Amino acid sequence: MSSLSILIPTYNDRCVALVTALQQQAESLAVDYEVIVADDGSTDADVVADNRRVNELPHCRMIESPHNQGRAAIRNLLAQEARHEWLLFIDSDMQVCRPDYLQRYLTACQEADVVDGGVEIAPLQPGNLRSLYEKVSEQQHVVERRRQSPYQDFHTANFLIRRSLMLAHPFDLRFRRYGYEDVLLGKQLEQDGIAILHVDNPLLFGTFETNAAFVSKTEEGLRTLYHFRRDLQGYSRMLVHARRLAPIAPLVRLWHRIFAKVERRHLTGQHPTIFVFHLYRLGYFLTLFRDDA
């Protein structure tokens, strides 16, 4: 690797600590680098003002969109703004948890043009649904598991890609809302025969939204999945479950219509459970689902 652009899209997340940690590691490497934060029309003025401190760090800058472009467009903008050969995309709610994080990517990029480092989940926060969900799903993030289905388990929270390749395979601009833009990119890379190398080089995920916010985000993601269900066939476990349950889908929809409010109240309360969360997700999605899915 001769040069590196570290790219961080953000929306209402404070990320100065993340940028500082990355900049300090980059300073120790024998590569040219830059760190670019792209604010996608954040609505929290205090967060935006705090993040502008990024501009005070060497080789770091922040660009601001006057309006929310969406998850795909802001990442494409970052790729276009980047000046270096390799692009490292990092979600703004991640934390650096290894002192050799960047060095590991320098080694891995000698083997592939796309490298997924994975995530590590912070200790459980009792009563927080997102924290509970991530801890229960933690084994899906380990590198051995990701290597079993490298394209389906490709995520954009922490990945490295050659800039020329990213520009040739931009994120699909139809994806404006939460969810699945990374899954479709994984599908596009597989279709074009581009290998994804999964390595053990995680960032820490430990910033968990409120239960109500997570349930709303989950609903938004399921609506995104439904809208792009044809594009994502074979790349979503939820679509697989929906097809398997097609014979009893009317019963699941009936259950959801009767109990959805009770389940949602439970999930947004102080003691949510994963069983009810999975039941709610399935019912919500199958209620959107149609026979032409």
Side-chain angles (χ1 to χ4, degrees), residues 172-186:
D172 191 319
L173 292 176
R174 295 176 298 164
F175 285 75
R176 289 188 51 83
R177 303 299 180 185
Y178 175 76
Y180 295 96
E181 75 283 347
D182 48 359
V183 179
L184 186 58
L185 178 58

PDB file of all heavy atoms in Angstrom, residues 172-186:
ATOM      1  N   ASP A 172     -25.249   1.693  -4.859  1.00  0.00           N
ATOM      2  CA  ASP A 172     -26.466   1.932  -5.630  1.00  0.00           C
ATOM      3  C   ASP A 172     -27.229   3.121  -5.024  1.00  0.00           C
ATOM      4  O   ASP A 172     -27.657   3.076  -3.867  1.00  0.00           O
ATOM      5  CB  ASP A 172     -27.338   0.674  -5.601  1.00  0.00           C
ATOM      6  CG  ASP A 172     -28.487   0.721  -6.587  1.00  0.00           C
ATOM      7  OD1 ASP A 172     -29.116   1.789  -6.734  1.00  0.00           O
ATOM      8  OD2 ASP A 172     -28.776  -0.319  -7.212  1.00  0.00           O
ATOM      9  N   LEU A 173     -27.417   4.168  -5.802  1.00  0.00           N
ATOM     10  CA  LEU A 173     -28.028   5.397  -5.302  1.00  0.00           C
ATOM     11  C   LEU A 173     -29.503   5.250  -4.957  1.00  0.00           C
ATOM     12  O   LEU A 173     -30.086   6.144  -4.345  1.00  0.00           O
ATOM     13  CB  LEU A 173     -27.842   6.521  -6.327  1.00  0.00           C
ATOM     14  CG  LEU A 173     -26.402   7.006  -6.527  1.00  0.00           C
ATOM     15  CD1 LEU A 173     -26.341   8.049  -7.627  1.00  0.00           C
ATOM     16  CD2 LEU A 173     -25.843   7.551  -5.222  1.00  0.00           C
ATOM     17  N   ARG A 174     -30.098   4.141  -5.322  1.00  0.00           N
ATOM     18  CA  ARG A 174     -31.492   3.918  -4.907  1.00  0.00           C
ATOM     19  C   ARG A 174     -31.603   3.708  -3.403  1.00  0.00           C
ATOM     20  O   ARG A 174     -32.686   3.896  -2.830  1.00  0.00           O
ATOM     21  CB  ARG A 174     -32.059   2.701  -5.635  1.00  0.00           C
ATOM     22  CG  ARG A 174     -32.199   2.844  -7.145  1.00  0.00           C
ATOM     23  CD  ARG A 174     -32.676   1.543  -7.751  1.00  0.00           C
ATOM     24  NE  ARG A 174     -31.716   0.457  -7.514  1.00  0.00           N
ATOM     25  CZ  ARG A 174     -32.002  -0.842  -7.657  1.00  0.00           C
ATOM     26  NH1 ARG A 174     -33.221  -1.218  -8.020  1.00  0.00           N
ATOM     27  NH2 ARG A 174     -31.077  -1.760  -7.433  1.00  0.00           N
ATOM     28  N   PHE A 175     -30.491   3.342  -2.768  1.00  0.00           N
ATOM     29  CA  PHE A 175     -30.519   3.063  -1.334  1.00  0.00           C
ATOM     30  C   PHE A 175     -30.302   4.368  -0.567  1.00  0.00           C
ATOM     31  O   PHE A 175     -29.183   4.773  -0.309  1.00  0.00           O
ATOM     32  CB  PHE A 175     -29.441   2.044  -0.971  1.00  0.00           C
ATOM     33  CG  PHE A 175     -29.782   0.636  -1.368  1.00  0.00           C
ATOM     34  CD1 PHE A 175     -29.707   0.238  -2.699  1.00  0.00           C
ATOM     35  CD2 PHE A 175     -30.200  -0.280  -0.424  1.00  0.00           C
ATOM     36  CE1 PHE A 175     -30.027  -1.052  -3.079  1.00  0.00           C
ATOM     37  CE2 PHE A 175     -30.521  -1.579  -0.790  1.00  0.00           C
ATOM     38  CZ  PHE A 175     -30.439  -1.963  -2.123  1.00  0.00           C
ATOM     39  N   ARG A 176     -31.400   5.003  -0.217  1.00  0.00           N
ATOM     40  CA  ARG A 176     -31.332   6.246   0.558  1.00  0.00           C
ATOM     41  C   ARG A 176     -31.597   5.998   2.037  1.00  0.00           C
ATOM     42  O   ARG A 176     -31.077   6.695   2.896  1.00  0.00           O
ATOM     43  CB  ARG A 176     -32.346   7.263   0.027  1.00  0.00           C
ATOM     44  CG  ARG A 176     -31.992   7.849  -1.333  1.00  0.00           C
ATOM     45  CD  ARG A 176     -32.935   8.981  -1.691  1.00  0.00           C
ATOM     46  NE  ARG A 176     -33.042   9.969  -0.619  1.00  0.00           N
ATOM     47  CZ  ARG A 176     -32.179  10.966  -0.429  1.00  0.00           C
ATOM     48  NH1 ARG A 176     -31.128  11.095  -1.235  1.00  0.00           N
ATOM     49  NH2 ARG A 176     -32.348  11.812   0.571  1.00  0.00           N
ATOM     50  N   ARG A 177     -32.421   5.028   2.328  1.00  0.00           N
ATOM     51  CA  ARG A 177     -32.803   4.736   3.704  1.00  0.00           C
ATOM     52  C   ARG A 177     -31.897   3.676   4.308  1.00  0.00           C
ATOM     53  O   ARG A 177     -31.015   3.134   3.665  1.00  0.00           O
ATOM     54  CB  ARG A 177     -34.268   4.289   3.758  1.00  0.00           C
ATOM     55  CG  ARG A 177     -35.238   5.292   3.167  1.00  0.00           C
ATOM     56  CD  ARG A 177     -35.206   6.614   3.902  1.00  0.00           C
ATOM     57  NE  ARG A 177     -36.133   7.589   3.346  1.00  0.00           N
ATOM     58  CZ  ARG A 177     -36.218   8.839   3.754  1.00  0.00           C
ATOM     59  NH1 ARG A 177     -35.420   9.288   4.716  1.00  0.00           N
ATOM     60  NH2 ARG A 177     -37.080   9.669   3.186  1.00  0.00           N
ATOM     61  N   TYR A 178     -32.179   3.345   5.569  1.00  0.00           N
ATOM     62  CA  TYR A 178     -31.322   2.436   6.328  1.00  0.00           C
ATOM     63  C   TYR A 178     -31.381   1.020   5.772  1.00  0.00           C
ATOM     64  O   TYR A 178     -32.449   0.479   5.508  1.00  0.00           O
ATOM     65  CB  TYR A 178     -31.756   2.444   7.794  1.00  0.00           C
ATOM     66  CG  TYR A 178     -31.025   1.448   8.651  1.00  0.00           C
ATOM     67  CD1 TYR A 178     -29.714   1.690   9.048  1.00  0.00           C
ATOM     68  CD2 TYR A 178     -31.636   0.266   9.056  1.00  0.00           C
ATOM     69  CE1 TYR A 178     -29.034   0.783   9.836  1.00  0.00           C
ATOM     70  CE2 TYR A 178     -30.964  -0.640   9.854  1.00  0.00           C
ATOM     71  CZ  TYR A 178     -29.659  -0.378  10.234  1.00  0.00           C
ATOM     72  OH  TYR A 178     -28.986  -1.279  11.003  1.00  0.00           O
ATOM     73  N   GLY A 179     -30.199   0.412   5.601  1.00  0.00           N
ATOM     74  CA  GLY A 179     -30.120  -1.015   5.392  1.00  0.00           C
ATOM     75  C   GLY A 179     -29.830  -1.496   3.988  1.00  0.00           C
ATOM     76  O   GLY A 179     -30.333  -0.945   3.002  1.00  0.00           O
ATOM     77  N   TYR A 180     -28.965  -2.510   3.894  1.00  0.00           N
ATOM     78  CA  TYR A 180     -28.783  -3.394   2.744  1.00  0.00           C
ATOM     79  C   TYR A 180     -28.007  -2.818   1.566  1.00  0.00           C
ATOM     80  O   TYR A 180     -27.787  -3.534   0.586  1.00  0.00           O
ATOM     81  CB  TYR A 180     -30.141  -3.929   2.262  1.00  0.00           C
ATOM     82  CG  TYR A 180     -30.790  -4.813   3.298  1.00  0.00           C
ATOM     83  CD1 TYR A 180     -31.739  -4.294   4.186  1.00  0.00           C
ATOM     84  CD2 TYR A 180     -30.422  -6.148   3.420  1.00  0.00           C
ATOM     85  CE1 TYR A 180     -32.309  -5.084   5.171  1.00  0.00           C
ATOM     86  CE2 TYR A 180     -30.988  -6.957   4.391  1.00  0.00           C
ATOM     87  CZ  TYR A 180     -31.925  -6.422   5.265  1.00  0.00           C
ATOM     88  OH  TYR A 180     -32.484  -7.206   6.229  1.00  0.00           O
ATOM     89  N   GLU A 181     -27.529  -1.589   1.634  1.00  0.00           N
ATOM     90  CA  GLU A 181     -26.694  -1.115   0.534  1.00  0.00           C
ATOM     91  C   GLU A 181     -25.388  -1.897   0.468  1.00  0.00           C
ATOM     92  O   GLU A 181     -24.829  -2.127  -0.616  1.00  0.00           O
ATOM     93  CB  GLU A 181     -26.416   0.393   0.656  1.00  0.00           C
ATOM     94  CG  GLU A 181     -25.418   0.807   1.713  1.00  0.00           C
ATOM     95  CD  GLU A 181     -25.983   0.776   3.132  1.00  0.00           C
ATOM     96  OE1 GLU A 181     -27.211   0.661   3.293  1.00  0.00           O
ATOM     97  OE2 GLU A 181     -25.173   0.872   4.073  1.00  0.00           O
ATOM     98  N   ASP A 182     -24.906  -2.367   1.631  1.00  0.00           N
ATOM     99  CA  ASP A 182     -23.682  -3.163   1.644  1.00  0.00           C
ATOM    100  C   ASP A 182     -23.922  -4.563   1.089  1.00  0.00           C
ATOM    101  O   ASP A 182     -23.051  -5.139   0.429  1.00  0.00           O
ATOM    102  CB  ASP A 182     -23.095  -3.238   3.052  1.00  0.00           C
ATOM    103  CG  ASP A 182     -24.121  -3.603   4.121  1.00  0.00           C
ATOM    104  OD1 ASP A 182     -25.309  -3.789   3.789  1.00  0.00           O
ATOM    105  OD2 ASP A 182     -23.726  -3.683   5.296  1.00  0.00           O
ATOM    106  N   VAL A 183     -25.102  -5.112   1.344  1.00  0.00           N
ATOM    107  CA  VAL A 183     -25.418  -6.450   0.835  1.00  0.00           C
ATOM    108  C   VAL A 183     -25.442  -6.445  -0.690  1.00  0.00           C
ATOM    109  O   VAL A 183     -24.911  -7.360  -1.345  1.00  0.00           O
ATOM    110  CB  VAL A 183     -26.770  -6.936   1.402  1.00  0.00           C
ATOM    111  CG1 VAL A 183     -27.118  -8.324   0.844  1.00  0.00           C
ATOM    112  CG2 VAL A 183     -26.737  -6.970   2.930  1.00  0.00           C
ATOM    113  N   LEU A 184     -26.030  -5.408  -1.274  1.00  0.00           N
ATOM    114  CA  LEU A 184     -26.082  -5.346  -2.732  1.00  0.00           C
ATOM    115  C   LEU A 184     -24.689  -5.149  -3.317  1.00  0.00           C
ATOM    116  O   LEU A 184     -24.366  -5.719  -4.366  1.00  0.00           O
ATOM    117  CB  LEU A 184     -27.002  -4.221  -3.191  1.00  0.00           C
ATOM    118  CG  LEU A 184     -27.237  -4.161  -4.703  1.00  0.00           C
ATOM    119  CD1 LEU A 184     -27.825  -5.475  -5.220  1.00  0.00           C
ATOM    120  CD2 LEU A 184     -28.147  -3.007  -5.078  1.00  0.00           C
ATOM    121  N   LEU A 185     -23.844  -4.369  -2.645  1.00  0.00           N
ATOM    122  CA  LEU A 185     -22.472  -4.213  -3.124  1.00  0.00           C
ATOM    123  C   LEU A 185     -21.753  -5.560  -3.105  1.00  0.00           C
ATOM    124  O   LEU A 185     -21.016  -5.904  -4.043  1.00  0.00           O
ATOM    125  CB  LEU A 185     -21.717  -3.194  -2.285  1.00  0.00           C
ATOM    126  CG  LEU A 185     -20.244  -2.975  -2.659  1.00  0.00           C
ATOM    127  CD1 LEU A 185     -20.114  -2.540  -4.111  1.00  0.00           C
ATOM    128  CD2 LEU A 185     -19.587  -1.967  -1.724  1.00  0.00           C
ATOM    129  N   GLY A 186     -21.958  -6.345  -2.054  1.00  0.00           N
ATOM    130  CA  GLY A 186     -21.368  -7.674  -1.996  1.00  0.00           C
ATOM    131  C   GLY A 186     -21.818  -8.539  -3.162  1.00  0.00           C
ATOM    132  O   GLY A 186     -21.021  -9.262  -3.767  1.00  0.00           O
TER     133      GLY A 186
END
